[in-house]
């Protein structure tokens, strides 16, 4: 009886499946004939009529199939392709069209490729230059049941699509591959079929509109239409009521579906997803098409964004198609889910796709994970050509048709840093807005590097500065810029560090949402063990070049330490960036550059994750989320360094962009490094609502601190996941330095000082800047912006100062010199005035075993051994060199304390330099 029941059940399922299957597909994946055509002779010789001389597997690329020119270029501009090819390639496959394709509409579907031309047998079918949406071709008139040949010519010559150095095909990231990736198939449908199905949610009215386009070559006059809706939420799929109607034919049919109950709404927290199947039929034909969608309303709300009526803050990540194993963007959902899950573990809720649009799989994964997507046209430059304008218009309309049903697709940009042709950009963007009202639109990301005012059609503004006062820090929307773009690199390198910095002035000048563009860009030194991970189509030959440079400098064992120190410092700078954004009144969000490395444009290793989205272990997701979360506690205090006669005063604010009003107490503690409590307290009876909240203030006397120490202010909301921590440094009050008689302090090594040094004196040298200008680098506080080589070239081109290019400090906190000056092994905020008053000396002539007490980490291109504080034995004497002119900034308590700590060390038995310099070496060095 069980077997009979099972057979009956299977039969019913099969019948149901056949009954609902109105279309048939023929998968074209697998082996294809192949030939490169670098001389462009294939058309003349009619290669579409002949067998080709090689084979490849599709989906795939010339790179994945190891076709093309075996690359020997070891450029350091980006990762290196093992095989390169730019030009025409031919792909040919024999197919057997099944009988059920007879008398059908047949479409060839290529999910993602480059400029293409299509032949069926000897018949030319058509061509397309779409890069970011599927290329589809009507092949109904060329295919009948039986054997046929499909020939596809793919041309990845950039002259076909001259859109700039865009990430849809740039070798900086995705590579300019040739091939076809994603789904490749023939689909047969009835001759009268649904060609387009779009859903327009109206969450305020518990309904959605449906736009249905029908191709009707047989001129049927009426259709029965059924809208079948399912909801999938928390692993459960529910079938909702169907909507049925009979209508007279129109090429575009508009229908309304009203929910019986309030629909579940989609956002970053909850991802209820709906599926609509539209079925058209009459007595002679039947077809169906399915699309997924979500019920959401993403809109502007003053100068911020709202999702379903609730103000949200975009914590965004830049996405540039960095996928080194394949050299192209993933085409499957699982790979994108991995990427988005990692990003969400770091608090990210938004992705900006830089000059490219991801494939269907990315939108589907973002729908499932709750990621707000900004997609872009593949354009970067000045839009002067009418031809290019029209091609980009086709790209944009195809993107909207293909992806705008996804609830994650909320924002649309025409490209990156567009510097001209704004009238042409406006025309196509207005066409997009007229065509589809679902996403919000902007005029470009950081147009004219932020100096271009928003136009009337612009829903939101993305910029590193605003046009008003953009050439000053009052107009900046991020802490750091290149020296070529801002005086001395902007706020972080020029203003005393504090937690009070914000971008209120800039944001208040515009009345639409402002997103801070590409914040961060703090370079981290690489750990060259990463090189072995590059086993795919891209190899890290650029990193191997840099590794050899480090080896030639005698510091080949230092890469991991450099990464730890520069990475820890970079993470603190990112923390400052994100918190400055979150404490800005009315700011709509930020877009990081980046959570992960960007291995192009000169090799910009700016991520706390590597190119594979694997952690560098310089900061944990938990610590990162202190400053990148839907709720962030923001203590505000004016400085990081205090003397013990002062009070530590701070205002406590909370940026709450969660979906909850918080009423739990907020607790705070000030502790020493050993955990000793200095003082604690709490704020109760709170109501932390959406937006920026003033919670209260704290005032702590520091008189109990008798020794120099690093203290940490811990803040957390009781019984929640939200916490934060901020360091301060407290020093005993002093006004002068007590210098023992046997220590000579000098600014130059005169003959008299040299003689005393050779005879056994202890000398502390503070070299004057002008004396070491040719052998040192100026002090630079944040890690180098993006990468040194690229912006050095740009600065020189525009006649601006070149950044010093360094990445921060490396030291041993346990060294006896720091007994009275607590420090981490990396740069922290107490070093600002010390670094800014410094020049780091090139110590390249010293032996490879020599390490300065405080080393300045150079960038991976130069690899100088740079010293900030270092010691030598000279003759019978002992020389301490401090490249920061502490003696001239004694109004800074941290400088005074470091000065005293150096003196204390020199006055102790621990001052025993291990390395000797001859008089000649000393002369060469200083």
């Amino acid at each position: 009886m069980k077997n009979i029941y099972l057979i009956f059940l299977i039969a019913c399922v099969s019948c149901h499946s056949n009954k609902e299957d109105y279309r048939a597909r023929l998968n074209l994946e697998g082996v294809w004939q192949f030939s490169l055509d670098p001389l462009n002779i294939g058309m003349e010789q009619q290669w579409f009529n002949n067998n080709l001389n090689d084979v490849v597997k599709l989906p795939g690329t010339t790179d994945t199939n190891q076709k093309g020119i075996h690359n020997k270029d070891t450029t350091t501009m980006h990762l290196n392709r093992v095989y390169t090819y730019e030009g025409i390639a031919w792909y040919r496959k024999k197919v057997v069209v099944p009988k059920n394709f007879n008398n059908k509409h047949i479409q060839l579907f290529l999910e993602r490729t480059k400029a293409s031309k299509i032949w069926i047998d000897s018949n030319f079918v058509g061509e397309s230059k779409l890069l970011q949406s599927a290329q589809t071709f009507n092949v109904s008139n060329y295919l009948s049941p039986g054997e046929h040949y499909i020939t596809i010519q793919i041309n990845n010559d950039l002259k076909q699509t001259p859109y700039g150095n865009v990430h849809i095909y740039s070798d900086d990231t995705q590579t300019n591959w040739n091939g076809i990736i994603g789904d490749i198939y023939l689909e047969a449908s009835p001759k009268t079929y649904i060609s387009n199905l779009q859903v327009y949610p109206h969450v305020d009215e518990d309904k959605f509109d449906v736009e249905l386009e029908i191709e009707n070559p047989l001129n049927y006059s009426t259709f029965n239409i059924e809208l079948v809706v399912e909801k999938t939420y928390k692993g459960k799929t529910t079938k909702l009521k169907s909507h049925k109607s009979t209508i007279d034919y129109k090429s575009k049919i508009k229908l309304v579906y009203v929910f019986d109950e309030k629909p579940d709404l989609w956002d970053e927290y909850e991802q209820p997803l709906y599926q609509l199947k539209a079925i058209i039929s009459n007595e002679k034909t039947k077809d169906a098409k399915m699309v997924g969608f979500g019920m959401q309303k993403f809109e502007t709300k003053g100068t911020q964004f709202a999702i379903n009526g609730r103000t949200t803050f975009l914590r965004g990540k830049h996405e540039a198609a960095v996928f080194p194993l394949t050299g192209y963007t993933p085409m499957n959902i699982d790979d994108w889910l991995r990427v988005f899950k990692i990003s969400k573990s770091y608090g990210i809720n938004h992705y900006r796709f830089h000059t490219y649009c991801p494939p269907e799989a990315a939108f589907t994964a973002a729908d499932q994970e709750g990621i707000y997507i900004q997609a872009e046209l593949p354009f970067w430059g000045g839009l002067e050509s009418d031809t290019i304008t029209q091609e980009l218009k086709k790209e944009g309309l195809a993107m909207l048709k293909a992806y705008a049903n996804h609830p994650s697709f909320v924002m649309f940009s025409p490209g990156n840093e567009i510097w001209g042709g704004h009238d042409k950009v406006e025309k196509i963007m207005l066409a997009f807005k007229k065509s589809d009202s679902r996403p919000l639109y902007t005029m470009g990301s950081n147009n004219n590097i932020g100096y271009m005012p928003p136009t009337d059609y612009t829903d939101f503004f993305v910029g590193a500065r605003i046009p008003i006062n953009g050439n000053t820090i009052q107009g900046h929307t991020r802490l750091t810029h290149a020296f070529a773009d801002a005086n001395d690199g902007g706020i972080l390198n020029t203003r005393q560090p504090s937690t009070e910095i914000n971008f209120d002035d800039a944001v208040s000048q515009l009345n639409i949402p402002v997103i801070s563009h590409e914040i961060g860009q703090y370079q981290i030194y690489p750990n060259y063990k990463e090189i072995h991970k590059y086993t795919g189509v891209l190899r890290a030959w650029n990193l191997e070049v840099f590794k050899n440079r480090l080896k030639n400098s005698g510091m080949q064992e230092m890469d991991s330490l450099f990464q730890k120190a520069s990475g820890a410092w970079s993470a603190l700078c990112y923390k400052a960036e994100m918190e400055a954004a979150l404490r800005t009144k009315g700011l709509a969000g930020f877009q990081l550059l980046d959570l992960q490395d960007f291995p192009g444009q000169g090799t910009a290793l700016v991520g706390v994750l590597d190119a594979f989205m694997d952690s560098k272990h310089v900061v944990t997701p938990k610590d990162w989320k202190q400053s990148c979360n839907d709720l962030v506690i923001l203590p505000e205090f004016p400085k990081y360094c205090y003397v013990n006669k002062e009070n530590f005063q701070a205002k406590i604010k909370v940026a709450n962009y969660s979906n909850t009003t918080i009423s739990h107490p907020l607790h705070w503690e000030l502790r020493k490094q050993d955990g000793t409590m200095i003082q604690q307290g709490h704020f109760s009876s709170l109501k932390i609502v959406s937006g920026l909240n003033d919670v209260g203030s704290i005032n702590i006397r520091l008189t109990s601190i008798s020794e120099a120490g690093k203290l940490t202010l811990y803040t957390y909301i009781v019984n929640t996941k939200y916490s934060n921590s901020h360091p301060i440094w407290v020093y005993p009050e002093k006004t002068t330095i007590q210098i023992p008689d046997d220590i000579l302090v000098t600014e130059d090594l005169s003959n008299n000082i040299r003689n005393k040094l050779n005879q056994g004196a202890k000398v502390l040298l503070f070299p004057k800047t002008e004396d070491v200008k040719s052998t040192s680098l100026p002090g630079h506080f944040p890690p180098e912006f993006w990468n040194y080589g690229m912006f050095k070239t740009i600065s020189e081109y525009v006649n601006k100062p070149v950044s010093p290019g360094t990445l921060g400090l490396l030291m041993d906190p346990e060294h006896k010199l720091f007994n009275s000056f607590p420090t981490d092994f990396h740069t922290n905020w107490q070093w600002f005035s010390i670094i800014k008053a410094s020049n780091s000396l090139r110590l390249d002539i010293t032996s490879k075993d020599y390490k300065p007490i405080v080393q300045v980490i150079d960038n991976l291109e130069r690899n100088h051994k740079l010293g900030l504080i270092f010691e030598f034995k000279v003759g019978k004497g002992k020389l301490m060199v401090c490249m920061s002119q502490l003696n001239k900034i004694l109004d800074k308590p941290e400088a005074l304390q470091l000065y005293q700590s150096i003196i204390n060390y020199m006055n102790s038995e621990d001052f025993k330099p291990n390395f000797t310099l001859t008089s000649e070496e000393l002369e060469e060095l200083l």
Side-chain angles (χ1 to χ4, degrees):
M1 188 67 185
K2 273 187 180 177
N3 291 337
I4 294 173
Y5 176 77
L6 182 60
I7 292 169
F8 176 76
L9 180 62
I10 292 172
C12 288
V13 169
S14 300
C15 291
H16 179 77
S17 176
N18 291 334
K19 183 178 178 182
E20 298 296 326
D21 190 9
Y22 308 115
R23 301 186 180 190
R25 286 185 180 179
L26 181 61
N27 190 340
L28 300 180
E29 296 179 6
V31 177
W32 285 63
Q33 296 178 22
F34 172 78
S35 185
L36 298 174
D37 187 9
L39 300 179
N40 192 16
I41 59 176
M43 288 277 286
E44 181 182 346
Q45 296 182 1
Q46 298 189 0
W47 287 8
F48 49 83
N49 257 342
N50 300 290
N51 288 327
L52 304 178
N53 59 12
D54 202 350
V55 294
V56 294
K57 287 184 179 180
L58 295 180
T61 66
T62 48
D63 297 67
T64 60
N65 283 284
Q66 300 184 356
K67 308 298 181 184
I69 301 167
H70 198 273
N71 186 27
K72 305 213 184 277
D73 182 13
T74 57
T75 177
T76 59
M77 291 304 296
H78 47 68
L79 297 172
N80 307 92
R81 295 166 70 179
V82 180
Y83 291 87
T84 65
Y85 183 73
E86 183 175 314
I88 294 171
W90 294 77
Y91 304 80
R92 192 168 189 258
K93 188 177 185 68
K94 182 172 77 173
V95 298
V96 178
V97 177
K99 292 181 180 179
N100 63 344
F101 276 46
N102 190 39
N103 201 30
K104 299 283 189 178
H105 168 78
I106 305 174
Q107 175 179 267
L108 173 64
F109 183 95
L110 311 177
E111 185 172 2
R112 187 153 289 204
T113 184
K114 303 296 176 64
S116 69
K117 293 181 179 179
I118 310 296
W119 287 262
I120 301 293
D121 300 323
S122 61
N123 301 302
F124 178 67
V125 174
E127 59 187 311
S128 176
K129 291 184 178 180
L130 288 180
L131 301 176
Q132 308 203 131
S133 307
Q135 296 183 11
T136 59
F137 302 89
N138 183 351
V139 294
S140 308
N141 295 332
Y142 307 98
L143 288 177
S144 56
E147 289 187 358
H148 295 273
Y149 282 91
I150 299 174
T151 306
I152 303 175
Q153 182 204 82
I154 304 297
N155 190 349
N156 66 330
D157 188 331
L158 296 185
K159 294 176 183 177
Q160 297 289 312
T161 51
Y163 302 153
N165 192 37
V166 294
H167 295 331
I168 192 68
Y169 55 57
S170 167
D171 274 340
D172 283 313
T173 56
Q174 186 169 185
T175 77
N176 181 27
W177 50 265
N178 188 307
I180 306 170
I181 58 176
D183 289 336
I184 312 168
Y185 59 79
L186 292 170
E187 182 177 75
S189 62
K191 285 189 174 293
T192 298
Y193 65 97
I194 301 170
S195 59
N196 190 16
L197 181 61
Q198 301 293 328
V199 178
Y200 298 84
H202 297 282
V203 299
D204 297 332
E205 302 173 65
D206 301 335
K207 69 176 186 179
F208 59 86
D209 294 339
V210 177
E211 287 193 2
L212 189 72
E213 295 181 36
I214 301 174
E215 296 297 321
N216 186 20
L218 302 179
N219 296 318
Y220 294 125
S221 59
T222 60
F223 289 94
N224 300 315
I225 300 180
E226 182 178 5
L227 303 180
V228 179
V229 180
E230 289 183 346
K231 178 184 71 176
T232 300
Y233 188 29
K234 296 181 179 179
K236 180 182 178 182
T237 298
T238 306
K239 189 170 184 178
L240 307 184
K241 71 170 184 180
S242 295
H243 176 285
K244 296 181 179 181
S245 58
T246 301
I247 59 153
D248 294 331
Y249 169 73
K250 295 177 184 176
S251 60
K252 181 179 287 186
I253 296 167
K254 296 185 179 182
L255 301 170
V256 177
Y257 182 99
V258 180
F259 290 92
D260 286 341
E261 299 177 351
K262 281 195 170 295
D264 292 305
L265 303 184
W266 181 94
D267 63 11
E268 66 192 88
Y269 300 100
E270 303 291 340
Q271 293 82 47
L273 297 174
Y274 292 84
Q275 181 176 272
L276 169 66
K277 177 191 283 188
I279 304 170
I280 61 169
S281 63
N282 59 26
E283 294 148 353
K284 298 182 179 179
T285 190
K286 196 168 190 178
D287 186 41
K289 187 174 179 65
M290 290 190 296
V291 295
F293 68 99
M295 292 298 294
Q296 56 90 328
K297 184 179 182 181
F298 190 85
E299 61 184 334
T300 63
K301 186 178 181 181
T303 62
Q304 295 184 292
F305 297 108
I307 179 73
N308 306 326
R310 175 181 55 79
T311 302
T312 191
F313 188 95
L314 297 184
R315 307 180 301 279
K317 182 198 176 303
H318 164 279
E319 218 299 312
V322 178
F323 298 98
L325 296 181
T326 61
Y328 59 78
T329 181
M331 303 300 288
N332 64 82
I333 296 171
D334 285 346
D335 282 351
W336 281 107
L337 283 174
R338 173 187 175 268
V339 166
F340 290 146
K341 284 178 184 293
I342 291 172
S343 291
K344 287 198 82 170
S345 75
Y346 284 84
I348 298 298
N349 67 353
H350 164 54
Y351 256 63
R352 177 243 172 162
F353 286 82
H354 182 304
T355 58
Y356 92 104
C357 178
E360 174 74 16
F363 286 102
T364 300
D367 294 345
Q368 294 177 14
E369 279 298 309
I371 298 288
Y372 305 117
I373 283 180
Q374 174 185 315
E376 294 188 351
L377 288 177
F379 188 73
W380 189 351
L383 188 55
E384 310 299 342
S385 164
D386 290 332
T387 301
I388 293 176
T389 301
Q390 289 306 307
E391 292 297 332
L392 290 173
K393 182 178 179 181
K394 291 176 186 176
E395 284 280 1
L397 292 172
M399 285 167 57
L400 291 168
K401 180 179 178 180
Y403 310 124
N405 280 324
H406 289 278
S408 56
F409 186 5
V410 297
M411 301 157 74
F412 193 125
S413 169
N416 183 66
E417 293 178 353
I418 300 171
W419 61 69
H422 297 294
D423 55 334
K424 293 181 172 61
V425 173
E426 180 169 353
K427 287 180 181 178
I428 62 173
M429 295 307 289
L430 287 172
F432 298 157
K433 290 191 80 168
K434 183 178 179 181
S435 171
D436 198 320
S437 61
R438 287 171 292 186
L440 299 176
Y441 295 87
T442 189
M443 63 185 188
S445 297
N446 204 39
N447 283 4
N448 298 86
I449 61 171
Y451 288 108
M452 173 77 181
T455 50
D456 291 341
Y457 73 86
T458 303
D459 294 321
F460 61 97
F461 179 87
V462 183
R465 55 170 57 80
I466 62 156
I468 304 164
N469 296 322
N471 61 337
T472 70
I473 60 176
Q474 281 73 34
H476 291 181
T477 61
R478 69 187 190 203
L479 296 183
T480 301
H481 295 252
F483 272 46
D485 296 333
N487 181 43
D488 284 339
I491 296 170
L492 200 58
N493 193 46
T494 59
R495 283 182 58 178
Q496 175 179 279
S498 82
T499 63
E500 294 180 337
I501 297 171
N502 58 55
F503 312 114
D504 286 356
D505 288 345
V507 172
S508 67
Q509 301 298 319
L510 298 181
N511 59 5
I512 60 175
V514 175
I515 299 174
S516 183
H517 172 79
E518 295 184 353
I519 72 170
Q521 306 190 46
Y522 299 113
Q523 189 179 146
I524 299 174
Y525 202 91
N527 183 331
Y528 291 116
K529 289 182 180 179
E530 178 187 325
I531 292 172
H532 80 275
K533 297 169 70 172
Y534 292 85
T535 58
V537 304
L538 289 168
R539 301 299 166 87
W541 297 337
N542 55 340
L543 295 185
E544 290 183 4
V545 170
F546 296 134
K547 180 181 179 181
N548 285 331
R549 291 182 188 176
L550 184 66
K551 181 179 180 181
N552 292 337
S553 75
M555 297 186 290
Q556 62 265 37
E557 305 300 325
M558 297 294 290
D559 57 329
S560 62
L561 291 174
F562 287 167
Q563 182 179 79
K564 288 177 182 177
S566 62
W569 175 222
S570 176
L572 288 174
C573 293
Y574 275 112
K575 178 184 180 75
E577 284 274 11
M578 295 184 291
E579 291 187 0
L582 282 160
R583 74 171 66 93
T584 299
K585 296 174 184 175
L587 186 66
F590 58 74
Q591 294 168 344
L592 287 168
L593 183 56
D594 196 355
L595 190 64
Q596 77 180 116
D597 280 345
F598 185 101
Q601 290 187 9
T603 310
L605 308 181
V606 295
V608 297
L609 309 179
D610 65 19
F612 300 87
M613 293 288 282
D614 295 330
S615 176
K616 296 179 182 179
H617 305 291
V618 297
V619 64
T620 66
K622 181 180 178 182
D623 286 344
W624 183 274
K625 286 178 74 173
Q626 287 185 346
S627 313
C628 185
N629 211 336
D630 56 0
L631 186 148
V632 175
I633 306 169
L634 298 166
E636 291 188 351
F637 46 90
K639 59 183 182 177
Y640 284 94
C641 297
Y642 297 81
V643 294
N644 59 1
K645 74 170 186 178
E646 296 181 276
N647 286 10
F648 172 67
Q649 298 178 328
K651 297 177 182 177
I652 306 297
K653 294 186 176 182
V654 174
N656 182 13
Y657 295 103
S658 72
N659 58 353
T660 305
T661 295
I662 301 293
S663 56
H664 299 289
L666 189 154
H667 193 82
W668 60 266
E669 301 171 355
L670 187 65
R671 291 181 179 269
K672 292 183 178 181
Q673 280 187 287
D674 63 5
T676 302
M677 181 76 72
I678 303 298
Q679 196 168 325
Q680 63 179 317
H682 66 272
F683 302 98
S684 56
S685 302
L686 298 180
K687 187 177 183 181
I688 302 174
V689 298
S690 178
L692 270 176
N693 295 256
D694 293 310
V695 172
S697 60
I698 59 178
N699 188 351
I700 304 171
R701 296 183 66 188
L702 301 174
T703 51
S704 64
I705 309 299
S706 58
E707 296 180 346
K710 176 186 178 183
L711 310 181
T712 301
L713 176 66
Y714 296 97
T715 51
Y716 60 93
I717 298 177
V718 178
N719 296 326
T720 73
K721 59 186 177 183
Y722 302 114
S723 65
N724 210 340
S725 61
H726 296 83
I728 64 170
W729 289 263
V730 181
Y731 306 109
E733 183 185 13
K734 60 170 62 75
T735 56
T736 60
I737 300 294
Q738 299 299 319
I739 301 174
D741 293 338
D742 64 341
I743 296 177
L744 300 177
V745 178
T746 182
E747 292 186 344
D748 58 65
L749 289 175
S750 64
N751 289 334
N752 181 43
I753 295 292
R754 288 173 187 265
N755 289 333
K756 291 182 178 180
L757 185 59
N758 282 317
Q759 293 168 11
K762 293 189 286 187
V763 176
L764 171 58
L765 174 65
F766 292 110
K768 291 182 286 190
T769 300
E770 57 268 26
D771 291 343
V772 293
K773 191 171 183 180
S774 63
T775 57
S776 67
L777 297 172
H780 184 242
F781 188 53
E784 174 63 358
F785 181 86
W786 196 234
N787 75 66
Y788 176 71
M790 175 176 164
F791 277 105
K792 176 179 183 290
T793 302
I794 294 172
S795 287
E796 291 170 343
Y797 179 76
V798 298
N799 199 28
K800 294 289 184 69
V802 174
S803 165
T806 53
L807 309 185
L809 307 180
L810 170 66
M811 66 215 98
D812 178 5
E814 300 301 316
H815 193 285
K816 300 298 183 181
L817 182 142
F818 299 119
N819 279 357
S820 301
F821 186 82
T823 185
D824 301 285
F825 69 93
H826 54 82
T827 312
N828 214 321
W829 304 109
Q830 89 275 26
W831 284 93
F832 175 76
S833 62
I834 299 166
I835 290 172
K836 294 300 290 181
S838 77
N839 287 69
S840 55
L841 191 71
R842 293 202 295 267
L843 302 174
D844 299 333
I845 68 167
T846 61
S847 71
K848 68 177 183 178
D849 296 326
Y850 180 74
K851 296 179 178 61
I853 297 170
V854 179
Q855 181 164 355
V856 177
I857 303 168
D858 201 10
N859 62 71
L860 75 172
E861 297 185 47
R862 285 187 314 217
N863 292 297
H864 286 308
K865 184 190 293 185
L866 300 171
L868 183 66
I869 302 175
F870 46 93
E871 62 185 8
F872 294 106
K873 185 176 180 182
V874 180
K876 296 180 180 179
K878 293 181 280 188
L879 174 65
M880 173 66 68
V881 182
C882 179
M883 297 300 298
S884 177
Q885 295 176 328
L886 304 179
N887 54 331
K888 295 181 180 178
I889 54 170
L890 297 181
D891 59 320
K892 305 294 184 183
E894 60 274 24
L896 196 64
Q897 188 66 35
L898 178 58
Y899 194 165
Q900 185 65 67
S901 194
I902 292 172
I903 293 295
N904 293 349
Y905 168 67
M906 294 180 68
N907 196 39
S908 73
E909 294 183 358
D910 296 313
F911 184 37
K912 297 176 182 177
N914 293 322
F915 286 84
T916 299
L917 279 186
T918 65
S919 298
E920 292 76 18
E921 288 170 333
L922 181 61
E923 182 72 27
E924 182 180 353
L925 199 64
L926 290 165

